[in-house]
Amino acid sequence: MNISVNLLVGFAMGLNLIALGSNRLPSLIRAMSVQGVLLGIIPLLMEKELDWRVALVALATAIGKGVVIPGLLRRAMRAASIEREVDPFIGFVPSLLLGAAGTVAAVALAQGLPLLPEHAGSLLVPGALASVLTGFILLVGRSKAISQVCGYLILENGIYLFGLLLIKTTPLLVEAGVLLDVTVGVFVIGIIVDHIQRAFDSLDTRKLTALRE
Amino acid sequence: MREILLILVPFVGVGAAALWRSDRTRPWLLPAVSLIHVVLSFWLLVSPPTVDPGAWLGFDPLARAVLPAVSLLFFVCAVYAVPYLALRPERPNRVFVCALLAVLGLLSAGHQARQLAVLWIATEAVTLAAVPLLHFNGTPRAFEATWKYLLVGGTGIALSLLGSLCLGYASLRGGGVGDLTFVALTAQGAGLSRPWVLIAWVLLLVGYGTKMGLAPMHTWKPDAYGEAPGIVGAILAGAVTSVAFTAILRVRAVVGAAGQGHVADQTLLVIGLFSMVTAAVFLLSTRDFKRMLAYSSVEHMGILSIGAALGGAGIWAALFHVWNNSLTKGALFLSAANIRRAAGSASMDEVRGMAVLTPRSAAIFVAGMFAVTATPPFGPFFSELRVVRVGLASGHGVAIALFLVCLLFAFFGLTRVVFGVVDGRPRQATRLAHQRFVESAGVIVPPLLLLGFSLWLGLFTPAVLQEAWSAAAAQLAPTP
C-alpha cells in the first residue's frame, strides 16, 4: 500500500478530530465535505491502472459527499437559521478526548486483526474504525439534527474506507455503499421540506420528544 | 422466471401508479398487483422451481418458507388500503401507493437474495421506500417518528453493510476470490478467517436486528408503528421484519459453516430473551394501543430469535412462527386502525368503551389479542409450544422458563390495554369523533380474514407448508 494513500487516510483521521471539536455547524460541514473529497481521491491512488468501475465510485463519492450533501446541509442550515451546536449531550472537549482515545485504540486494534499481506501497514483499517467511532460519538452526542447527519456521514465514510480493501474483488458491495448517501439525502431533504412546511424552529432533536413512554 | 416476476410485477405497478391520474381509482392498483403476486407466490410454494446454486436471486427453500406469508399479508392489507384511502380523500396518495408497491417488490427481492450485496441493497432500499409510508399522515408526530426511524434504522443498515464487508474480507483472507453468494461462503466454511467472521456476525446481527426490531435496537419501533397508518404498521411488523429475519438466518448458516455456530446461537438466545424481557416490561407500562402492538412485535421478534438459536428444529418452529406472527399481527393492526380512526386517539386514557361504538372491530381486536398471546387453537400457540419443546429437549431449561414468564407478563400487559380500550362506557368526545366512521365490510373483512388464516394455521397446518419449513431448515442447518 503506497504512502500517499496512508497520508490521505491520516488527513481524514485528523478531520475526524476537527469535526468532534467544532461547535459551529459550517466548520463541521466543511470538515466533513473535505473528508468526502479525500475519500474520493484515495481509490484513484491505490491502483496503477485505473478500472472504470473504481473511477465511477471515486467520482460518485467525491461529488456526493464533497458537493451535493454539503450543499443540501447548508441549505437546511439556512432554512432552520441555526449556526451553532449549543449545549450538546456530550461536550466538545470530552468528545474530542473520546475521539482521540478511540483513534489510538483503532490503531492498536487493527494491529491485532489478521490482514492480507498487501494490506499490512495500511492505515485503511484503523482509519475506518476511527471514523466509525467518530460518527457514533457525533450521532449520540449532538442534539442538532444537522450535526447528527454529519455524524452519520462520517460513520459512513469509515465504512467506505473499509470497503476500499474489497473494491477490487467485490466491487458491487462497495458500490452499494453509495445508497447510504441516498439515505443521507433523504434525511436532509426531510429536514428542508419539513422546515418549509412548518416552522420547526430550532431543529433541535431534543424537541422530538412527544413520542415516549 | 416466475420468481423474477414476483419482483417485476410490483415495479410495473409502481410505474402504473405513478402515471395514474385519478387519486380516487389509483388505490385499486394495490389489490390488483398484489393479487397477481399472491397467486404467483403460492404457485411457487406448491411447485417450487429448481434454483441454480450460483444464482444471486432465486426462490430457494428459505424464500419458499417465508415469502408466501409476506405476500398473503400484503394482499389483505392492499384490500384494506382501498377503503382506507377512500376515507382520506384530503391527502394525495400517489407517493403512498408507489412506495407501498415498491416495498412489495423489494421485499420479494430481499427474501430471494442469495448474495450478500444483493441482500443488503434490497434491505436498504426497503428502508428508504418505507419513509413516505411512515410520513403519510404529515403530522409533527409522524415527522418525529420518521426521523427516529431513519436515524436508528439508517445506522443499523450502515452497520450491516460494514458487517457484510467484514464477511467479504473473511472470505478474501481465507483465500476466497470475491464470490459473495451464500452458497460459496458456506462452501468455504472453516476456510473463512475466524476473527473476521465473528466481527461480521456481531455487526450483521446488530444491523439486521435493528431492522427486525430486536431489543435494544428496537427504539424506533413504537414511534413508527404508533404514528404510521395501520396497514403500514401491519406491513412493517409482518413483512419487513421477516426479510431481516431471513437475512439473519442466511448469515447464521454461513457462521455455522465456519464452525462458529455455537457463538451465533448463544448471541441469538441472549438477544432474543432480552427482547422478550424488554417487551414484557414496556407492555406493562404503555398506555397507547398502537405502541402496545410495537412492543408485542418486539416480543415476537425475540421468539423468532430464540427459535433460530435452537438449531434445525428450532428454525422450523421459528419459520412456523413467522407465518403466525405476520397473519395475527396483521389482524391486530388493521382492527386497531379501525378503533383508532373511530375514536380519534390511540391512548387508553382517552379511549374506552369501543365495544359499544365499533363492536366488530373490537371483537376482532380482542380475538386477535388472544391469538397473539398464544391462546389455543390459534397458530401462535402451536409455534410457541414447539419452541418450548425444542428448547427443553436441547437442555435450555432456564431460558425456556424465562421465555414463559415473559409470555405471561406480556399477556397481562396486552389484556390490560386491550380491555381498557374495549370495555366500559364510551366518552362523550369519542362518541362525537365516532360519527364519521362506519364499520363497512371493506374495513372488517380484511382483519377477519387474517384472523381466520391464523386459526387455520393452528388447526390444520397444511402439509405443503410443513414440508417447505423442513426444506428451509435443512438448507440452513444441514445437521439438525
Side-chain angles (χ1 to χ4, degrees), chain B residues 31-100:
Chain B
V33 169
S34 55
L35 180 64
I36 303 176
H37 195 273
V38 85
V39 168
L40 272 173
S41 65
F42 274 84
W43 182 19
L44 281 161
L45 170 71
V46 177
S47 68
T50 49
V51 181
D52 170 19
W56 284 15
L57 283 168
F59 200 78
D60 60 1
L62 183 56
R64 180 175 169 232
V66 177
L67 191 51
V70 169
S71 183
L72 185 59
L73 171 71
F74 195 97
F75 171 65
V76 177
C77 289
V79 171
Y80 182 91
V82 177
Y84 169 74
L85 289 171
L87 284 171
R88 307 293 306 272
E90 80 284 4
R91 294 203 73 79
N93 58 35
R94 174 171 287 146
V95 176
F96 185 82
V97 173
C98 287
L100 212 51

Side-chain angles (χ1 to χ4, degrees), chain A residues 51-174:
Chain A
D51 183 17
W52 65 270
R53 286 181 80 165
V54 175
L56 211 62
V57 172
L59 194 69
T61 305
I63 293 179
K65 295 184 202 285
V67 181
V68 179
I69 292 173
L72 280 172
L73 277 171
R74 289 200 184 93
R75 244 193 92 182
M77 205 175 68
R78 275 199 302 276
S81 57
I82 44 165
E83 281 257 304
R84 261 168 207 289
E85 171 77 43
V86 272
D87 200 14
F89 297 119
I90 303 176
F92 297 103
V93 177
S95 41
L96 199 55
L97 290 176
L98 263 177
T103 308
V104 175
V107 175
L109 185 65
Q111 302 290 326
L113 287 169
L115 293 175
L116 286 174
E118 64 261 36
H119 298 144
S122 156
L123 273 179
L124 280 178
V125 178
L129 294 173
S131 300
V132 168
L133 189 79
T134 306
F136 262 119
I137 297 174
L138 287 172
L139 265 176
V140 181
R142 298 289 181 264
S143 60
K144 295 278 184 267
I146 292 174
S147 315
Q148 290 181 343
V149 172
C150 290
Y152 187 81
L153 270 162
I154 291 176
L155 171 88
E156 197 201 309
N157 287 349
I159 295 171
Y160 171 87
L161 277 176
F162 188 80
L164 289 179
L165 295 176
L166 292 160
I167 196 160
K168 261 171 66 188
T169 45
T170 57
L172 181 64
L173 200 52
V174 185

Side-chain angles (χ1 to χ4, degrees), chain B residues 403-469:
Chain B
F403 172 91
L404 291 172
V405 170
C406 290
L407 285 184
L408 185 67
F409 279 107
F411 178 74
F412 291 150
L414 283 162
T415 41
R416 183 183 61 92
V417 180
V418 168
F419 285 112
V421 167
V422 168
D423 247 3
R425 285 184 52 200
R427 287 158 58 108
Q428 197 55 37
T430 319
R431 279 184 194 278
L432 294 175
H434 162 251
Q435 283 162 2
R436 292 189 300 270
F437 183 80
V438 183
E439 283 193 300
S440 62
V443 297
I444 292 300
V445 173
L448 200 60
L449 212 57
L450 286 171
L451 200 61
F453 284 133
S454 169
L455 196 61
W456 168 67
L457 272 179
L459 291 175
F460 323 96
T461 320
V464 61
L465 281 179
Q466 301 200 23
E467 187 258 314
W469 300 328

